[in-house]
mmCIF file of all heavy atoms in Angstrom:
data_model
loop_
_atom_site.group_PDB
_atom_site.id
_atom_site.type_symbol
_atom_site.label_atom_id
_atom_site.label_comp_id
_atom_site.label_asym_id
_atom_site.label_seq_id
_atom_site.Cartn_x
_atom_site.Cartn_y
_atom_site.Cartn_z
ATOM 1 N N THR A 1 134.403 -182.262 -96.827
ATOM 2 C CA THR A 1 133.954 -183.529 -97.400
ATOM 3 C C THR A 1 134.452 -183.643 -98.828
ATOM 4 O O THR A 1 134.219 -182.743 -99.639
ATOM 5 C CB THR A 1 132.426 -183.634 -97.387
ATOM 6 O OG1 THR A 1 131.941 -183.486 -96.048
ATOM 7 C CG2 THR A 1 131.981 -184.989 -97.923
ATOM 8 N N ILE A 2 135.134 -184.745 -99.116
ATOM 9 C CA ILE A 2 135.620 -185.001 -100.470
ATOM 10 C C ILE A 2 134.682 -185.989 -101.155
ATOM 11 O O ILE A 2 134.122 -186.891 -100.506
ATOM 12 C CB ILE A 2 137.072 -185.535 -100.444
ATOM 13 C CG1 ILE A 2 137.677 -185.534 -101.850
ATOM 14 C CG2 ILE A 2 137.129 -186.925 -99.819
ATOM 15 C CD1 ILE A 2 139.182 -185.829 -101.865
ATOM 16 N N SER A 3 134.510 -185.811 -102.463
ATOM 17 C CA SER A 3 133.718 -186.748 -103.245
ATOM 18 C C SER A 3 134.235 -186.753 -104.676
ATOM 19 O O SER A 3 134.938 -185.815 -105.086
ATOM 20 C CB SER A 3 132.230 -186.375 -103.216
ATOM 21 O OG SER A 3 132.024 -185.093 -103.762
ATOM 22 N N ARG A 4 133.895 -187.805 -105.409
ATOM 23 C CA ARG A 4 134.305 -187.861 -106.810
ATOM 24 C C ARG A 4 133.165 -188.415 -107.648
ATOM 25 O O ARG A 4 132.354 -189.214 -107.167
ATOM 26 C CB ARG A 4 135.578 -188.685 -106.984
ATOM 27 C CG ARG A 4 135.453 -190.162 -106.743
ATOM 28 C CD ARG A 4 136.834 -190.847 -106.795
ATOM 29 N NE ARG A 4 137.386 -190.869 -108.144
ATOM 30 C CZ ARG A 4 138.672 -191.116 -108.400
ATOM 31 N NH1 ARG A 4 139.516 -191.368 -107.403
ATOM 32 N NH2 ARG A 4 139.111 -191.126 -109.649
ATOM 33 N N ASP A 5 133.153 -187.986 -108.904
ATOM 34 C CA ASP A 5 132.192 -188.476 -109.885
ATOM 35 C C ASP A 5 133.001 -189.012 -111.056
ATOM 36 O O ASP A 5 133.460 -188.233 -111.903
ATOM 37 C CB ASP A 5 131.262 -187.332 -110.303
ATOM 38 C CG ASP A 5 130.158 -187.789 -111.247
ATOM 39 O OD1 ASP A 5 130.324 -188.852 -111.888
ATOM 40 O OD2 ASP A 5 129.156 -187.088 -111.371
ATOM 41 N N ASN A 6 133.191 -190.303 -111.104
ATOM 42 C CA ASN A 6 134.040 -190.891 -112.146
ATOM 43 C C ASN A 6 133.420 -190.756 -113.535
ATOM 44 O O ASN A 6 134.133 -190.756 -114.534
ATOM 45 C CB ASN A 6 134.335 -192.351 -111.829
ATOM 46 C CG ASN A 6 135.363 -192.506 -110.716
ATOM 47 O OD1 ASN A 6 136.038 -191.548 -110.350
ATOM 48 N ND2 ASN A 6 135.483 -193.695 -110.160
ATOM 49 N N ALA A 7 132.112 -190.643 -113.602
ATOM 50 C CA ALA A 7 131.454 -190.476 -114.905
ATOM 51 C C ALA A 7 131.765 -189.101 -115.505
ATOM 52 O O ALA A 7 131.763 -188.942 -116.730
ATOM 53 C CB ALA A 7 129.957 -190.656 -114.762
ATOM 54 N N LYS A 8 132.021 -188.132 -114.634
ATOM 55 C CA LYS A 8 132.297 -186.765 -115.100
ATOM 56 C C LYS A 8 133.769 -186.382 -114.973
ATOM 57 O O LYS A 8 134.136 -185.252 -115.286
ATOM 58 C CB LYS A 8 131.446 -185.772 -114.308
ATOM 59 C CG LYS A 8 129.951 -185.925 -114.533
ATOM 60 C CD LYS A 8 129.172 -184.882 -113.750
ATOM 61 C CE LYS A 8 127.677 -185.003 -114.013
ATOM 62 N NZ LYS A 8 126.901 -183.986 -113.243
ATOM 63 N N ASN A 9 134.599 -187.291 -114.478
ATOM 64 C CA ASN A 9 136.029 -186.999 -114.255
ATOM 65 C C ASN A 9 136.211 -185.791 -113.344
ATOM 66 O O ASN A 9 137.030 -184.895 -113.613
ATOM 67 C CB ASN A 9 136.766 -186.760 -115.583
ATOM 68 C CG ASN A 9 136.985 -188.032 -116.358
ATOM 69 O OD1 ASN A 9 136.474 -189.091 -116.002
ATOM 70 N ND2 ASN A 9 137.744 -187.950 -117.433
ATOM 71 N N MET A 10 135.436 -185.776 -112.256
ATOM 72 C CA MET A 10 135.461 -184.629 -111.349
ATOM 73 C C MET A 10 135.668 -185.097 -109.907
ATOM 74 O O MET A 10 135.196 -186.169 -109.502
ATOM 75 C CB MET A 10 134.148 -183.862 -111.406
ATOM 76 C CG MET A 10 133.837 -183.205 -112.728
ATOM 77 S SD MET A 10 134.914 -181.796 -113.082
ATOM 78 C CE MET A 10 134.446 -180.660 -111.778
ATOM 79 N N VAL A 11 136.365 -184.258 -109.149
ATOM 80 C CA VAL A 11 136.489 -184.432 -107.704
ATOM 81 C C VAL A 11 136.113 -183.106 -107.050
ATOM 82 O O VAL A 11 136.433 -182.042 -107.579
ATOM 83 C CB VAL A 11 137.908 -184.844 -107.292
ATOM 84 C CG1 VAL A 11 138.032 -184.896 -105.770
ATOM 85 C CG2 VAL A 11 138.256 -186.188 -107.889
ATOM 86 N N TYR A 12 135.440 -183.204 -105.918
ATOM 87 C CA TYR A 12 134.962 -182.018 -105.223
ATOM 88 C C TYR A 12 135.472 -182.010 -103.777
ATOM 89 O O TYR A 12 135.683 -183.064 -103.176
ATOM 90 C CB TYR A 12 133.437 -181.989 -105.210
ATOM 91 C CG TYR A 12 132.825 -182.125 -106.576
ATOM 92 C CD1 TYR A 12 132.361 -183.355 -107.030
ATOM 93 C CD2 TYR A 12 132.736 -181.030 -107.429
ATOM 94 C CE1 TYR A 12 131.810 -183.501 -108.286
ATOM 95 C CE2 TYR A 12 132.189 -181.159 -108.692
ATOM 96 C CZ TYR A 12 131.731 -182.391 -109.119
ATOM 97 O OH TYR A 12 131.195 -182.524 -110.372
ATOM 98 N N LEU A 13 135.633 -180.812 -103.253
ATOM 99 C CA LEU A 13 135.947 -180.662 -101.840
ATOM 100 C C LEU A 13 134.988 -179.624 -101.273
ATOM 101 O O LEU A 13 135.106 -178.434 -101.567
ATOM 102 C CB LEU A 13 137.397 -180.221 -101.632
ATOM 103 C CG LEU A 13 137.846 -180.153 -100.174
ATOM 104 C CD1 LEU A 13 137.914 -181.568 -99.575
ATOM 105 C CD2 LEU A 13 139.199 -179.474 -100.036
ATOM 106 N N GLN A 14 134.014 -180.091 -100.512
ATOM 107 C CA GLN A 14 133.079 -179.209 -99.843
ATOM 108 C C GLN A 14 133.690 -178.770 -98.523
ATOM 109 O O GLN A 14 134.010 -179.608 -97.678
ATOM 110 C CB GLN A 14 131.740 -179.922 -99.597
ATOM 111 C CG GLN A 14 130.711 -179.083 -98.868
ATOM 112 C CD GLN A 14 130.246 -177.891 -99.674
ATOM 113 O OE1 GLN A 14 129.979 -178.013 -100.865
ATOM 114 N NE2 GLN A 14 130.136 -176.738 -99.027
ATOM 115 N N MET A 15 133.843 -177.473 -98.366
ATOM 116 C CA MET A 15 134.494 -176.924 -97.179
ATOM 117 C C MET A 15 133.489 -176.072 -96.412
ATOM 118 O O MET A 15 133.019 -175.054 -96.936
ATOM 119 C CB MET A 15 135.707 -176.090 -97.581
ATOM 120 C CG MET A 15 136.690 -176.843 -98.461
ATOM 121 S SD MET A 15 138.213 -175.929 -98.764
ATOM 122 C CE MET A 15 137.590 -174.516 -99.655
ATOM 123 N N ASN A 16 133.168 -176.489 -95.211
ATOM 124 C CA ASN A 16 132.226 -175.771 -94.352
ATOM 125 C C ASN A 16 132.935 -175.259 -93.104
ATOM 126 O O ASN A 16 134.034 -175.706 -92.772
ATOM 127 C CB ASN A 16 131.079 -176.698 -93.956
ATOM 128 C CG ASN A 16 130.272 -177.187 -95.142
ATOM 129 O OD1 ASN A 16 130.137 -176.493 -96.144
ATOM 130 N ND2 ASN A 16 129.730 -178.395 -95.035
ATOM 131 N N SER A 17 132.286 -174.345 -92.417
ATOM 132 C CA SER A 17 132.828 -173.791 -91.169
ATOM 133 C C SER A 17 134.272 -173.346 -91.350
ATOM 134 O O SER A 17 135.147 -173.674 -90.535
ATOM 135 C CB SER A 17 132.718 -174.820 -90.041
ATOM 136 O OG SER A 17 131.383 -175.227 -89.850
ATOM 137 N N LEU A 18 134.515 -172.625 -92.408
ATOM 138 C CA LEU A 18 135.889 -172.233 -92.739
ATOM 139 C C LEU A 18 136.480 -171.314 -91.686
ATOM 140 O O LEU A 18 135.770 -170.486 -91.081
ATOM 141 C CB LEU A 18 135.927 -171.581 -94.109
ATOM 142 C CG LEU A 18 135.848 -172.595 -95.262
ATOM 143 C CD1 LEU A 18 135.434 -171.904 -96.553
ATOM 144 C CD2 LEU A 18 137.182 -173.295 -95.445
ATOM 145 N N LYS A 19 137.781 -171.464 -91.476
ATOM 146 C CA LYS A 19 138.521 -170.687 -90.480
ATOM 147 C C LYS A 19 139.638 -169.918 -91.176
ATOM 148 O O LYS A 19 140.101 -170.333 -92.253
ATOM 149 C CB LYS A 19 139.142 -171.632 -89.454
ATOM 150 C CG LYS A 19 138.159 -172.556 -88.765
ATOM 151 C CD LYS A 19 138.890 -173.528 -87.849
ATOM 152 C CE LYS A 19 137.928 -174.486 -87.168
ATOM 153 N NZ LYS A 19 138.641 -175.441 -86.277
ATOM 154 N N PRO A 20 140.108 -168.844 -90.593
ATOM 155 C CA PRO A 20 141.226 -168.102 -91.204
ATOM 156 C C PRO A 20 142.441 -168.990 -91.473
ATOM 157 O O PRO A 20 143.136 -168.785 -92.470
ATOM 158 C CB PRO A 20 141.531 -167.027 -90.164
ATOM 159 C CG PRO A 20 140.226 -166.790 -89.494
ATOM 160 C CD PRO A 20 139.572 -168.140 -89.424
ATOM 161 N N GLU A 21 142.669 -169.979 -90.641
ATOM 162 C CA GLU A 21 143.810 -170.866 -90.839
ATOM 163 C C GLU A 21 143.635 -171.824 -92.020
ATOM 164 O O GLU A 21 144.572 -172.546 -92.373
ATOM 165 C CB GLU A 21 144.119 -171.669 -89.562
ATOM 166 C CG GLU A 21 142.935 -172.378 -88.970
ATOM 167 C CD GLU A 21 142.291 -171.591 -87.829
ATOM 168 O OE1 GLU A 21 142.122 -170.357 -87.980
ATOM 169 O OE2 GLU A 21 141.941 -172.232 -86.809
ATOM 170 N N ASP A 22 142.464 -171.830 -92.647
ATOM 171 C CA ASP A 22 142.266 -172.600 -93.875
ATOM 172 C C ASP A 22 142.751 -171.840 -95.110
ATOM 173 O O ASP A 22 142.771 -172.396 -96.205
ATOM 174 C CB ASP A 22 140.788 -172.947 -94.058
ATOM 175 C CG ASP A 22 140.253 -173.882 -92.988
ATOM 176 O OD1 ASP A 22 140.976 -174.843 -92.636
ATOM 177 O OD2 ASP A 22 139.134 -173.645 -92.513
ATOM 178 N N THR A 23 143.141 -170.605 -94.930
ATOM 179 C CA THR A 23 143.633 -169.791 -96.046
ATOM 180 C C THR A 23 144.890 -170.406 -96.636
ATOM 181 O O THR A 23 145.866 -170.667 -95.923
ATOM 182 C CB THR A 23 143.923 -168.358 -95.576
ATOM 183 O OG1 THR A 23 142.699 -167.745 -95.160
ATOM 184 C CG2 THR A 23 144.564 -167.543 -96.682
ATOM 185 N N ALA A 24 144.858 -170.656 -97.940
ATOM 186 C CA ALA A 24 145.982 -171.294 -98.623
ATOM 187 C C ALA A 24 145.644 -171.415 -100.101
ATOM 188 O O ALA A 24 144.507 -171.164 -100.518
ATOM 189 C CB ALA A 24 146.242 -172.689 -98.047
ATOM 190 N N ILE A 25 146.643 -171.836 -100.880
ATOM 191 C CA ILE A 25 146.382 -172.294 -102.239
ATOM 192 C C ILE A 25 146.063 -173.786 -102.141
ATOM 193 O O ILE A 25 146.820 -174.538 -101.514
ATOM 194 C CB ILE A 25 147.574 -172.040 -103.166
ATOM 195 C CG1 ILE A 25 147.880 -170.550 -103.252
ATOM 196 C CG2 ILE A 25 147.280 -172.596 -104.559
ATOM 197 C CD1 ILE A 25 149.128 -170.221 -104.039
ATOM 198 N N TYR A 26 144.979 -174.177 -102.765
ATOM 199 C CA TYR A 26 144.535 -175.570 -102.731
ATOM 200 C C TYR A 26 144.817 -176.230 -104.085
ATOM 201 O O TYR A 26 144.470 -175.675 -105.128
ATOM 202 C CB TYR A 26 143.046 -175.655 -102.404
ATOM 203 C CG TYR A 26 142.757 -175.421 -100.943
ATOM 204 C CD1 TYR A 26 142.916 -174.166 -100.373
ATOM 205 C CD2 TYR A 26 142.344 -176.465 -100.119
ATOM 206 C CE1 TYR A 26 142.671 -173.957 -99.019
ATOM 207 C CE2 TYR A 26 142.088 -176.268 -98.776
ATOM 208 C CZ TYR A 26 142.261 -175.010 -98.229
ATOM 209 O OH TYR A 26 142.007 -174.806 -96.888
ATOM 210 N N TYR A 27 145.412 -177.409 -104.020
ATOM 211 C CA TYR A 27 145.787 -178.148 -105.219
ATOM 212 C C TYR A 27 145.107 -179.517 -105.211
ATOM 213 O O TYR A 27 145.008 -180.154 -104.157
ATOM 214 C CB TYR A 27 147.293 -178.394 -105.260
ATOM 215 C CG TYR A 27 148.148 -177.155 -105.230
ATOM 216 C CD1 TYR A 27 148.565 -176.606 -104.029
ATOM 217 C CD2 TYR A 27 148.560 -176.555 -106.418
ATOM 218 C CE1 TYR A 27 149.361 -175.465 -103.999
ATOM 219 C CE2 TYR A 27 149.361 -175.419 -106.398
ATOM 220 C CZ TYR A 27 149.756 -174.885 -105.187
ATOM 221 O OH TYR A 27 150.546 -173.762 -105.174
ATOM 222 N N CYS A 28 144.701 -179.978 -106.387
ATOM 223 C CA CYS A 28 144.330 -181.381 -106.492
ATOM 224 C C CYS A 28 145.447 -182.128 -107.214
ATOM 225 O O CYS A 28 146.213 -181.530 -107.987
ATOM 226 C CB CYS A 28 142.992 -181.576 -107.180
ATOM 227 S SG CYS A 28 142.937 -181.151 -108.929
ATOM 228 N N ALA A 29 145.539 -183.395 -106.921
ATOM 229 C CA ALA A 29 146.615 -184.214 -107.471
ATOM 230 C C ALA A 29 146.117 -185.637 -107.685
ATOM 231 O O ALA A 29 145.173 -186.077 -107.028
ATOM 232 C CB ALA A 29 147.812 -184.211 -106.527
ATOM 233 N N ALA A 30 146.780 -186.334 -108.606
ATOM 234 C CA ALA A 30 146.391 -187.696 -108.983
ATOM 235 C C ALA A 30 147.508 -188.677 -108.653
ATOM 236 O O ALA A 30 148.677 -188.411 -108.950
ATOM 237 C CB ALA A 30 146.055 -187.752 -110.469
ATOM 238 N N ASP A 31 147.143 -189.797 -108.068
ATOM 239 C CA ASP A 31 148.092 -190.823 -107.612
ATOM 240 C C ASP A 31 147.774 -192.146 -108.290
ATOM 241 O O ASP A 31 146.696 -192.701 -108.078
ATOM 242 C CB ASP A 31 147.986 -190.952 -106.094
ATOM 243 C CG ASP A 31 148.852 -192.054 -105.518
ATOM 244 O OD1 ASP A 31 149.744 -192.556 -106.242
ATOM 245 O OD2 ASP A 31 148.641 -192.417 -104.345
ATOM 246 N N ALA A 32 148.744 -192.665 -109.067
ATOM 247 C CA ALA A 32 148.533 -193.917 -109.793
ATOM 248 C C ALA A 32 148.895 -195.145 -108.972
ATOM 249 O O ALA A 32 148.668 -196.273 -109.427
ATOM 250 C CB ALA A 32 149.344 -193.913 -111.092
#
C-alpha cells in the first residue's frame, strides 16, 4: 500500500506478506 503526506513531504510503502521474490533495492522517484 502506497500513501503520501504532502504536509510532511513524505511517501510511504507498506509492504505486507513479503516473499523472497520481493528482495531488491527499492527506490523512490519524483515525476513532474
Side-chain angles (χ1 to χ4, degrees):
T1 303
I2 191 170
S3 61
R4 69 186 290 164
D5 184 339
N6 285 346
K8 295 182 178 180
N9 287 8
M10 295 290 295
V11 175
Y12 307 98
L13 185 68
Q14 179 66 44
M15 306 187 297
N16 298 329
S17 302
L18 283 161
K19 304 175 181 180
E21 51 263 44
D22 295 318
T23 296
I25 299 174
Y26 284 70
Y27 301 89
C28 68
D31 176 14

